[in-house]
Amino acid sequence: MKKSHAHLSECDPVWHQVTLEAQEAINDEPLMGGLIHSSVLHHKTLESALAYRTSMKLASNEMPEQILREICDWAYRCDPSIGIAARADIVAVYDRDPACDRYILPLLFFKGFQAVQAYRIAHWLWGEGRRDMARFFQMRVSEVFGVDIHPAAKIGKGIMIDHAHSIVIGETAVVGDNVSMLHSVTLGGTGKEEEDRHPKIADGVLIGAGAKVLGNIKVGRCSRIAAGSVVLEEVPPCKTVAGVPARIVGEAGCDQPSVRMDQLLGVR
C-alpha cells in the first residue's frame, strides 16, 4: 500500500493540473489566495485536499472539523480506491460539464462533486461497521449540499452529477462507472420492502433532470433516461426511454451517452 501511494504521488497528472490552476487563480484573483492556499496549495496530495475540503464543509457544532478531517484522512490511507475514484470524477466533470473549464473548479465550488466525495467516505465507514458515523456524514451531506445518498449504496467512478440539487439515491441502489445525472434525480424504492429495493444503473447511463427510477430494476449500459421520466420497468442497453411511465422511444443515439450529454430526443 505504501508503494502505491508513493507511485501515485510521483505521477499524478490530475493533482499536478489542479495545483497549476491554483497558482493561476491566485494571480488572477489575489483575494482568493487564502481559500486556495488552505484548500489546495497547503496540501501535498489530492487526498489531503479532499479530506480538508470535506471536513470543512461538513463540520458543525455537533462534530468539529478536526474529527472529520482525521476520519477522512484515515479512509484515504486505508482505501486508495477512494482517491482513484475522485480523480476519475474530476476528469468526468471537466470532460462533460461545459461550465467546467478547469480541474480545480469541482474541488472548490461544485457541490455535486463534493457530495459524491463525502459519500465515498461515508460508504467506507459503512463497510467498516461504523454505521452511525456513516449516517452522520449522510445527514450533513443532505443538509449542506441538498444531496441524499445512503452510505450503503454502491457508486462507481467517473461520476458527474450536474447542479446536484435534490439528488436521492437509496440504500440498495447500484450506480456503475461513467454515469452522468442531472439535478432532481431519484433512484428510489417502491412500497415498504426492506430487502433489495432500489435501481441498478449500469455503466455509461445518462439520467436527465427530474427523472425518477423506482424499484429494483435494471437500467442497461449506455442508455438514456429523458428529463422528467418515471421509470418503473427494466431498460435494455443502449436505448432511450421517456415519459410517465417511461417507454422506449428509440436508440441511445451514440455509444457513450453519459459522455456526449446529448438529451435531445429524435434530433441528430
Side-chain angles (χ1 to χ4, degrees):
M1 186 178 297
K2 289 183 179 179
K3 287 185 178 179
S4 68
H5 271 298
H7 177 71
L8 191 60
S9 64
E10 291 167 6
C11 181
D12 189 349
V14 172
W15 177 240
H16 178 66
Q17 183 63 28
V18 169
T19 57
L20 289 179
E21 292 173 357
Q23 293 286 2
E24 294 172 357
I26 292 174
N27 292 336
D28 293 339
E29 180 53 85
L31 293 179
M32 293 289 291
L35 170 63
I36 294 173
H37 272 286
S38 63
S39 297
V40 179
L41 297 176
H42 178 71
H43 305 278
K44 293 182 179 180
T45 66
L46 178 61
E47 284 82 357
S48 176
L50 286 169
Y52 171 81
R53 199 80 180 123
T54 298
S55 60
M56 289 294 290
K57 286 290 186 179
L58 301 189
S60 69
N61 292 334
E62 298 175 320
M63 191 71 67
E65 178 268 336
Q66 184 60 40
I67 292 176
L68 296 177
R69 174 75 180 275
E70 291 174 0
I71 291 171
C72 294
D73 282 334
W74 184 245
Y76 285 118
R77 282 197 296 270
C78 291
D79 188 353
S81 70
I82 304 174
I84 292 171
R87 289 166 174 82
D89 295 341
I90 288 177
V91 173
V93 176
Y94 178 80
D95 285 344
R96 302 174 207 168
D97 185 352
C100 183
D101 58 2
R102 289 175 292 161
Y103 279 59
I104 197 174
L105 295 185
L107 176 62
L108 291 182
F109 304 126
F110 288 10
K111 71 175 184 177
F113 172 81
Q114 294 170 356
V116 170
Q117 306 322 305
Y119 147 79
R120 296 195 187 283
I121 303 298
H123 182 70
W124 178 82
L125 288 165
W126 188 269
E128 292 291 303
R130 301 175 64 181
R131 298 197 168 183
D132 286 338
M133 185 61 75
R135 289 187 175 99
F136 177 84
F137 269 71
Q138 178 191 7
M139 176 190 73
R140 289 296 293 152
V141 169
S142 179
E143 291 173 345
V144 173
F145 300 118
V147 174
D148 195 342
I149 306 176
H150 195 286
K154 299 177 181 177
I155 299 179
K157 59 184 181 296
I159 303 300
M160 197 277 281
I161 304 181
D162 196 16
H163 299 291
H165 189 69
S166 298
I167 296 288
V168 176
I169 299 178
E171 178 181 9
T172 60
V174 176
V175 178
D177 295 336
N178 299 317
V179 170
S180 296
M181 63 182 77
L182 285 85
H183 55 281
S184 300
V185 164
T186 297
L187 306 181
T190 58
K192 296 178 65 178
E193 300 91 344
E194 295 183 2
E195 301 301 325
D196 197 353
R197 62 192 185 277
H198 294 106
K200 311 298 180 280
I201 310 298
D203 298 348
V205 172
L206 171 61
I207 308 178
K212 316 299 178 188
V213 187
L214 305 177
N216 183 15
I217 59 175
K218 295 180 180 178
V219 176
R221 62 177 180 81
C222 297
S223 58
R224 296 191 304 169
I225 299 173
S229 299
V230 177
V231 183
L232 302 174
E233 298 179 354
E234 182 169 332
V235 178
C238 303
K239 299 294 183 182
T240 294
V241 298
V244 182
R247 296 287 184 263
I248 296 174
V249 297
E251 302 299 318
C254 66
D255 60 352
Q256 293 289 330
S258 66
V259 176
R260 285 274 302 273
M261 297 295 292
D262 181 357
Q263 300 174 70
L264 298 178
L265 302 183
V267 178
R268 295 285 170 263

